[in-house]
């Protein structure tokens, strides 16, 4: 059974606002919004945040049980005294926040992304730095703001949450992939990060994260005084929060790259177990490492599409025992809180997710369990309407919580190896770690390899060549590839050549293929003789019965330009089965955006075939005319399919690289197969009938003072084209790719938010869609979406309606590249519309293209 409570029926507690300002206008609460909970739980809306207090995204409890919260941008920080049974809520502004705000277009960005009260201080993280904030005179007001560490500005992929370490002596800070690790930070990983992509990577056609390099998102341990920083793990995309289980093990909830949905390099949102020196393989664009790469660690459980925010174990919750054992994780996009039940798996864990709570709209930005055992969460972010909720259990509580510990010996072994994750010349570390390179447990093998890599290579280099255990040889070879010099390449390839590929377990076959790839990327291209030897060894095993092994065999053989790789891969492409979509269809189906994802996935070409074309694009040998025709024909068919916003651009880039390998005679024979996929023809879009109105946000909002009902669906769809929205955005799988998919607007944004984004597009820009200004040394500049950034050149797309139109400059001529505070979306796209046309458009947008939406009913 479920408990459903209409928010309109909840008691809105009175607000006592301190120094928040005079503007107390509030967002309208949708009376049809519902929160669904398990039986016995109750949800309360405690506070609707007025616009004067911004959009809250960070929260923490102080020693007196009060909440410290912050707007994402420039509205400041606030202290919330929570209500007793009969008392009202008190919200007071905290002077001095935000600290050192950053000018970003028409607003200042400087709010907190993470808070923690510890060591008699309030610690704060934002896009500019890590701060310690104190009350030095005991008057219950913060008066000392100390910047402990300046950080690179990474907007929403900046520094995020802070928690205390398991031993209670330090702090953990998690940061997204746009913020570089502070200089002089020690690392539990050997600092030898590279992209380690065997095949040349394709930059994101949408320009996202181009030029960003490893280590990506990271977690650091920090001393209370902020002087000692140590990076303990990296390779995240944009993890927002951290949580410790009873055993002191650390977890996070990492984000996906939604542009890549339908592509082989897409990884869903996932729970990661953060061990010492862990690497989780985020790399920009097509360079993302699959979970099975032997030099990284995989996920505890894959969650699916979404936008991860807060996480917390329920140990301190006043919930039934079966809930106190679980990890609670929050999703911003789909308005959902899941529980994840951990099961021990060797020295790590696997997990099973289950929905705990959902609502619409309910863009959950932060969550914590309070001193009273209740769950508190806020909605907000990206200037959206913000609200504070409390979730309590109202039934009877009984029974103890479950404790883990079944595999404590394996965890103890892993921890004993992790003690050697510091640079040195310890023969003891090598001696103790080496036997564990062949351990059955993946995390123990990983810990052993990192322990060895932290020691001087001279201590263990020759042990690689003397090793007789196949698994130990593979992982030792991975270590040496990452640290050894190029002169060892031939010897290492000979050593790997001794291993019996066909008799190895699947896990070891994949690790061996990764070892070959690392040898090539780190130590250089092999000689013709060595390459022929590797081809001779691997080619008889391609194709395999295992899809992942086929993928890696194809990757390595394509790199080596093996004579038969084209023929065998084309045969695989013709025989491959359709992908199985394993997403949470029930959850996705409740939301327009989720339903659009499911619809898109049903019309996406097989991702394994996309990967095969990605590999074959660089191969020059072994092609027949029929193979060429099939290859380009398949890519052309793929362009007519659906995928994430970068999908079509990636397909075009694969084809472009493949065309570059053709000789003139081949091009002539393939006429008709090499044309580009058409973009939206702006000249054929309909026009509004008018009369035209110079809409502002405030004037347009007057149209929506009552419920949006009885609108014209077909006219709304027509206005989606007439306003040229369709050239850049998709709704229900139709439209362009250069802007965000608008299928979930109704779940996440208010009408005011949507109107602001249309009328004032520069007011709030997601980092994924920001334009850049490329200043050149000759004092000229390029402006637009940064699409290419490498050692040779940069290229920007200035036309928001066609990201294929690039303006380029040599990298040597570039002086600086900065994010622009001006959106590439033109303002005033609705200025030609009449009252009814605008209302029909808004109804269409809020419905996600669903004609059954309430906005189209009488």
């Amino acid at each position: 059974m479920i408990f459903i409570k209409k928010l309109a029926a909840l008691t809105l507690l009175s607000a006592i606002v301190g120094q928040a300002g005079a503007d107390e206008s509030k967002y309208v609460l949708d009376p049809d919004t519902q929160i669904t909970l398990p039986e016995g739980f109750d949800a309360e809306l405690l506070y609707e945040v007025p616009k004067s207090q911004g959009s809250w995204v960070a929260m923490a409890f102080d020693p007196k049980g009060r909440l410290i919260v912050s707007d994402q941008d420039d509205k400041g920080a606030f202290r919330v005294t929570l209500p007793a049974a009969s008392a009202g809520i008190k919200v007071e502004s905290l002077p001095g926040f935000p600290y050192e705000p950053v000018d970003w277009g028409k607003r200042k960005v400087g709010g907190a992304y993470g808070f923690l009260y510890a060591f008699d201080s309030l610690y704060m993280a934002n896009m500019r730095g890590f701060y310690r904030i104190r009350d030095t005179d005991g008057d219950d007001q913060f008066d000392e703001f100390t910047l402990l560490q300046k950080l690179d500005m990474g907007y929403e992929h900046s520094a995020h949450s802070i928690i205390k370490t398991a031993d209670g002596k330090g702090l953990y800070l998690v940061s997204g992939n746009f913020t570089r690790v502070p200089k002089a930070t020690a690392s539990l990983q050997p600092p030898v990060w590279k992209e380690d992509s065997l095949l040349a990577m394709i930059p994101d056609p949408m320009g996202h994260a181009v030029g960003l390099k490893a280590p990506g998102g990271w977690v650091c341990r920090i001393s209370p005084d902020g002087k000692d920083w140590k990076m303990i793990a990296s390779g995240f995309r944009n993890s927002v929060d951290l949580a410790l289980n009873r055993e002191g093990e650390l977890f996070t909830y990492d984000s996906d790259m939604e542009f890549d949905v339908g592509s082989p390099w897409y990884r869903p949102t996932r729970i990661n177990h953060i061990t010492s020196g862990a690497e989780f393989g985020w790399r920009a664009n097509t360079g993302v490492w699959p979970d099975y790469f032997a030099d990284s660690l995989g996920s505890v459980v894959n969650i699916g599409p979404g936008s991860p925010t807060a996480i917390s174990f329920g140990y301190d919750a006043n919930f039934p025992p079966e809930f106190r054992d679980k990890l609670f994780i929050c999703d911003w996009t789909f308005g959902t809180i899941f529980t994840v039940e951990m099961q021990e798996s060797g020295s790590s864990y696997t997990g099973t997710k289950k929905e705990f709570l959902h609502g619409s709209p309910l863009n959950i930005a932060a969550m914590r369990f309070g001193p009273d055992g209740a769950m508190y969460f806020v909605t907000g972010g990206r200037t959206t309407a913000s609200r504070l909720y409390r979730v309590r259990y109202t039934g009877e509580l009984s029974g103890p919580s479950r404790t883990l510990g079944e595999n404590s010996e394996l965890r103890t072994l892993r921890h004993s190896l992790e003690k050697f994750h510091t640079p040195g010349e310890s023969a003891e570390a090598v001696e103790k770690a080496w036997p564990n390179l062949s351990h059955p447990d993946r995390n123990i093998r990983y810990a052993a390899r990192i322990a060895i890599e932290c020691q001087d290579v001279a201590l263990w280099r020759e042990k690689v060549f003397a090793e007789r255990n196949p698994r130990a040889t593979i992982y030792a070879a991975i270590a040496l590839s990452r640290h050894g010099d190029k002169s060892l390449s031939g010897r290492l390839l000979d050593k790997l050549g001794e291993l019996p590929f066909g008799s190895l377990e699947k896990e070891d076959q994949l690790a061996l293929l990764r070892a070959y790839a690392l040898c090539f990327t780190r130590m250089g291209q092999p000689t013709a003789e060595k390459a022929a030897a590797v081809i001779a060894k691997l080619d008889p095993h391609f194709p395999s019965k295992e899809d992942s092994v086929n993928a890696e065999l194809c990757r390595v053989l394509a790199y080596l330009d093996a004579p038969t790789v084209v023929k065998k891969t084309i045969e695989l492409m013709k025989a491959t089965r359709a992908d199985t979509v394993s997403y949470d269809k029930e959850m996705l189906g409740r939301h327009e955006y989720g339903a659009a994802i499911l619809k898109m996935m049903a019309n996406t070409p097989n991702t394994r075939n996309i990967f095969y074309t990605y590999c074959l694009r660089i191969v020059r040998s072994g092609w027949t005319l029929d193979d060429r025709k099939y290859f380009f024909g398949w890519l052309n068919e793929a362009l007519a399919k659906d995928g994430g916003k970068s999908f079509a651009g990636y397909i075009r880039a694969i084809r472009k690289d493949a065309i570059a390998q053709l000789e003139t005679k081949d091009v002539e024979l393939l006429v008709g197969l090499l044309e580009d996929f058409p973009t939206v023809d702006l000249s054929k879009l309909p026009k509004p009938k008018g009369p035209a109105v110079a809409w502002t946000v405030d004037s347009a909002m007057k149209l929506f003072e009552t419920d949006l009902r009885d609108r014209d669906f077909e006219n709304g769809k027509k206005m989606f084209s007439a306003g040229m929205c369709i050239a850049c955005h998709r709704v229900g799988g139709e439209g362009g790719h250069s802007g965000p998919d608008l299928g979930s607007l109704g779940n996440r944004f208010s009408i005011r938010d949507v109107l602001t984004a249309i009328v004032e597009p520069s007011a709030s820009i997601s980092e994924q869609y920001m334009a850049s200004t490329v200043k050149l040394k000759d004092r000229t500049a390029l402006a637009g979406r940064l699409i290419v950034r490498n050692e040779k050149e940069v290229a920007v797309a200035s036309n928001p309606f066609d990201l294929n139109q690039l303006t380029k400059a040599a990298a040597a001529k570039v002086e600086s590249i900065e994010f622009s505070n001006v959106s590439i979306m033109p303002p005033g796209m609705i200025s030609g519309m009449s009252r009814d046309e605008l209302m029909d458009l808004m109804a269409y947008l809020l419905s996600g293209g669903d004609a059954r939406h309430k906005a189209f009913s009488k």
Side-chain angles (χ1 to χ4, degrees):
M1 296 178 65
I2 57 176
F3 173 84
I4 302 178
K5 177 175 281 192
K6 292 288 186 73
L7 295 187
L10 295 174
T11 300
L12 179 60
L13 300 175
S14 61
I16 305 173
V17 182
Q19 304 171 27
D23 180 7
E24 297 308 321
S25 58
K26 296 181 180 176
Y27 295 95
V28 176
L29 183 62
D30 182 354
D32 292 329
T33 300
Q34 296 179 344
I35 291 182
T36 302
L37 284 161
E39 185 177 9
F41 286 88
D42 184 22
E44 297 173 272
L45 172 60
L46 297 180
Y47 185 60
E48 282 193 83
V49 180
K51 289 183 290 183
S52 62
Q53 295 175 359
S55 187
W56 293 355
V57 297
M59 64 188 297
F61 283 94
D62 72 5
K64 295 182 179 181
R66 299 171 298 187
L67 273 174
I68 308 295
V69 297
S70 175
D71 169 47
Q72 183 175 0
D73 295 325
D74 69 335
K75 304 299 184 183
F78 307 89
R79 183 160 55 198
V80 181
T81 302
L82 297 166
S86 58
I89 195 168
K90 178 182 178 182
V91 181
E92 56 185 309
S93 177
L94 293 174
F97 293 83
Y99 194 65
E100 294 187 2
V102 182
D103 287 328
W104 199 284
K106 297 182 179 179
R107 71 188 196 282
K108 288 185 177 180
V109 179
Y113 282 17
F115 279 134
L116 175 69
Y117 214 110
F119 306 110
D120 196 31
S121 305
L122 177 67
Y123 291 91
M124 180 181 83
N126 67 11
M127 72 164 62
R128 289 302 298 268
F130 182 68
Y131 300 84
R132 188 176 192 177
I133 303 167
R134 305 173 77 181
D135 170 16
T136 63
D137 55 12
D139 66 349
D140 205 28
Q141 295 294 323
F142 296 112
D143 52 56
E144 180 184 88
F145 294 79
T146 304
L147 175 62
L148 299 180
Q149 178 68 62
K150 186 176 181 180
L151 299 172
D152 296 332
M153 186 164 59
Y155 198 46
E156 290 177 341
H157 289 223
S158 297
H160 290 298
S161 293
I162 315 150
I163 67 170
K164 287 185 75 171
T165 56
D167 61 10
K169 298 179 180 180
L171 306 165
Y172 284 133
L173 170 67
V174 62
S175 181
N177 58 325
F178 273 41
T179 297
R180 301 292 83 193
V181 181
K183 292 182 179 179
T185 297
S187 174
L188 298 183
Q189 299 172 344
V192 292
W193 305 287
K194 289 190 177 182
E195 304 312 289
D196 290 325
S197 178
L198 182 60
L199 306 181
M201 293 191 296
I202 298 175
D204 188 330
M206 295 294 295
H208 181 69
V210 294
L212 287 186
K213 304 293 184 182
W218 44 266
V219 174
C220 279
R221 177 178 173 129
I222 309 168
S223 60
D225 61 8
K227 295 181 179 179
D228 181 22
W229 284 62
K230 185 172 294 182
M231 193 182 79
I232 65 168
S234 71
F236 305 103
R237 181 173 180 264
N238 189 33
S239 296
V240 173
D241 202 359
L242 299 166
L244 286 161
N245 73 358
R246 294 186 192 278
E247 290 74 40
E249 301 290 332
L250 188 63
F251 297 85
T252 191
Y253 182 17
D254 198 16
S255 66
D256 62 353
M257 178 55 188
E258 64 272 21
F259 288 6
D260 294 347
V261 171
S263 302
W265 33 88
Y266 173 78
R267 298 195 308 186
T269 67
R270 58 207 170 278
I271 303 299
N272 289 326
H273 176 201
I274 305 175
T275 58
S276 172
E279 159 72 79
F280 291 96
W282 178 85
R283 297 296 187 271
N285 317 135
T286 62
V288 175
W289 296 4
D291 267 11
Y292 56 71
F293 269 10
D295 46 333
S296 68
L297 294 173
S299 63
V300 170
V301 59
N302 289 333
I303 303 300
S307 298
T309 52
I311 68 173
S312 183
F313 280 96
Y315 302 136
D316 298 324
N318 196 26
F319 287 4
E322 62 268 25
F323 289 96
R324 293 201 297 269
D325 292 320
K326 294 178 172 61
L327 176 65
F328 290 79
I329 64 174
C330 302
D331 177 82
W332 190 84
T333 295
F334 296 110
T336 303
I337 298 179
F338 297 103
T339 60
V340 176
E341 182 173 1
M342 298 288 180
Q343 298 91 36
E344 293 190 322
S345 177
S347 69
S348 185
Y349 306 83
T350 58
T352 304
K353 75 162 187 176
K354 186 176 181 180
E355 185 178 286
F356 172 72
L357 172 158
H358 78 260
S360 179
L362 201 71
N363 45 321
I364 303 167
M367 177 271 290
R368 286 290 182 260
F369 287 97
D372 59 354
M375 172 190 285
Y376 292 84
F377 67 85
V378 295
T379 63
R382 296 185 181 176
T383 72
T384 60
S386 200
R387 302 181 180 99
L388 171 64
Y389 294 88
R390 175 168 59 195
V391 176
R392 293 185 289 189
Y393 184 69
T394 58
E396 294 185 5
L397 297 173
S398 63
S401 297
R402 176 177 63 91
T403 58
L404 300 176
E406 298 172 1
N407 295 322
S408 59
E409 291 185 7
L410 291 176
R411 284 200 301 277
T412 299
L413 172 58
R414 173 167 55 78
H415 291 163
S416 71
L417 297 170
E418 292 169 349
K419 292 178 180 178
F420 296 113
H421 289 181
T422 54
E425 299 182 8
S426 172
E428 178 190 6
V430 176
E431 179 183 358
K432 290 187 175 181
W434 199 271
N436 290 295
L437 290 175
S438 59
H439 198 282
D441 184 272
R442 176 179 183 175
N443 286 66
I444 290 175
R445 291 197 302 271
Y446 184 93
R449 179 176 59 81
I450 296 299
I452 291 166
E453 287 192 35
C454 284
Q455 314 311 315
D456 191 324
V457 176
L459 291 175
W460 52 271
R461 178 176 52 227
E462 292 306 315
K463 289 179 69 69
V464 178
F465 303 107
E467 182 57 53
R468 292 292 177 263
N469 180 285
R471 175 175 282 176
T473 298
I474 293 168
Y475 286 89
I478 288 173
L480 189 59
S481 293
R482 286 163 43 86
H483 292 265
D485 60 64
K486 294 183 179 180
S487 65
L488 298 173
S489 173
R491 288 183 67 194
L492 192 58
L493 290 175
D494 288 343
K495 183 63 180 177
L496 294 175
E498 296 174 4
L499 303 180
F501 186 91
S503 61
L504 296 177
E505 296 181 11
K506 172 187 172 182
E507 185 176 20
D508 293 329
Q509 288 180 337
L510 290 169
L512 174 56
L513 291 165
R514 181 60 173 164
Y516 275 120
L518 289 170
C519 182
F520 299 147
T521 57
R522 295 276 184 151
M523 294 183 170
Q525 191 168 357
T527 65
E529 179 184 3
K530 297 298 183 185
V534 176
I535 292 171
K537 180 179 181 61
L538 298 180
D539 187 68
H541 302 286
F542 183 53
S544 164
K545 294 181 180 179
E546 298 288 345
D547 289 333
S548 55
V549 176
N550 275 335
E552 297 313 310
L553 280 168
C554 183
R555 192 195 303 262
V556 172
L557 291 171
Y559 170 82
L560 296 172
D561 208 32
T564 65
V565 67
V566 171
K567 180 178 182 296
K568 291 184 175 182
T569 304
I570 293 295
E571 290 175 354
L572 271 176
M573 290 178 65
K574 293 177 179 178
T576 190
R577 302 180 304 277
D579 289 332
T580 300
V581 178
S582 58
Y583 297 153
D584 187 336
K585 296 182 179 180
E586 180 180 352
M587 182 201 75
L588 294 176
R590 287 198 303 264
H591 303 268
E592 289 86 354
Y593 180 56
I597 289 177
L598 292 175
K599 179 181 177 182
M600 177 189 67
M601 292 303 297
N603 191 40
T604 297
N606 192 288
T607 58
R608 282 165 285 183
N609 279 1
I610 298 174
F611 180 79
Y612 290 146
T613 62
Y614 171 76
C615 294
L616 292 185
R617 70 193 163 103
I618 64 157
V619 178
R620 300 186 68 92
S621 303
W623 287 96
T624 66
L625 180 59
D626 285 343
D627 290 338
R628 292 283 193 197
K629 288 182 176 180
Y630 179 84
F631 177 87
F632 286 109
W634 191 91
L635 287 174
N636 288 345
E637 291 178 5
L639 277 169
K641 300 287 187 177
D642 291 328
K645 298 175 186 63
S646 297
F647 174 82
Y650 278 131
I651 298 297
R652 293 191 188 100
I654 290 172
R655 188 174 57 181
K656 180 180 177 181
D657 287 348
I659 290 173
Q661 305 294 332
L662 298 176
E663 297 180 8
T664 303
K665 62 179 180 63
D666 296 322
V667 175
E668 294 172 352
L669 293 172
L670 295 170
V671 170
L673 289 174
L674 306 183
E675 296 177 3
D676 203 358
F677 190 69
T679 57
V680 174
D681 188 344
L682 300 182
S683 67
K684 296 182 179 179
L685 295 180
K687 304 292 184 183
K689 291 182 178 179
V693 177
W695 294 109
T696 66
V697 174
D698 288 338
S699 66
M701 277 299 296
K702 294 178 180 179
L703 305 179
F704 305 100
E705 293 177 345
T706 58
D707 284 350
L708 191 59
R709 300 276 183 175
D710 196 22
R711 302 317 309 171
D712 186 328
F713 174 81
E714 291 300 330
N715 193 49
K717 185 175 182 179
K718 179 181 178 182
M719 290 303 103
F720 184 66
S721 295
M724 294 194 289
C725 313
I726 196 171
C728 301
H729 303 279
R730 295 173 74 81
V731 169
E734 297 182 18
H737 294 273
S738 58
D741 190 311
L742 304 183
S744 63
L745 280 183
N747 296 327
R748 297 181 288 171
F749 300 103
S750 69
I751 292 176
R752 176 176 286 274
D753 296 330
V754 178
L755 286 170
T756 300
I758 297 173
V759 178
E760 303 172 5
S762 296
S764 180
I765 314 170
S766 167
E767 50 82 25
Q768 295 168 317
Y769 301 97
M770 284 180 173
S772 295
T773 300
V774 180
K775 295 181 180 180
L776 304 180
K777 295 177 181 178
D778 64 1
R779 297 187 178 182
T780 61
L782 308 179
R785 180 78 65 79
L786 184 63
I787 302 298
V788 177
R789 183 181 185 182
N790 56 40
E791 294 77 7
K792 295 182 179 180
E793 64 180 3
V794 296
V796 300
S798 301
N799 183 355
F801 302 115
D802 187 359
L803 298 187
N804 292 313
Q805 297 180 18
L806 300 180
T807 305
K808 300 181 180 180
K813 296 181 179 180
V814 175
E815 183 176 280
S816 65
I817 300 177
E818 300 174 353
F819 279 133
S820 172
N821 56 23
V822 179
S823 172
I824 64 172
M825 175 178 167
M829 303 297 284
I830 58 174
S831 59
M833 297 183 189
S834 67
R835 170 188 181 278
D836 286 330
E837 287 173 331
L838 176 56
M839 294 184 74
D840 289 342
L841 171 63
M842 291 299 295
Y844 180 74
L845 292 174
L846 295 173
S847 75
D850 184 0
R852 300 165 297 177
H853 193 272
K854 63 184 181 182
F856 303 113
S857 61
K858 298 288 186 181

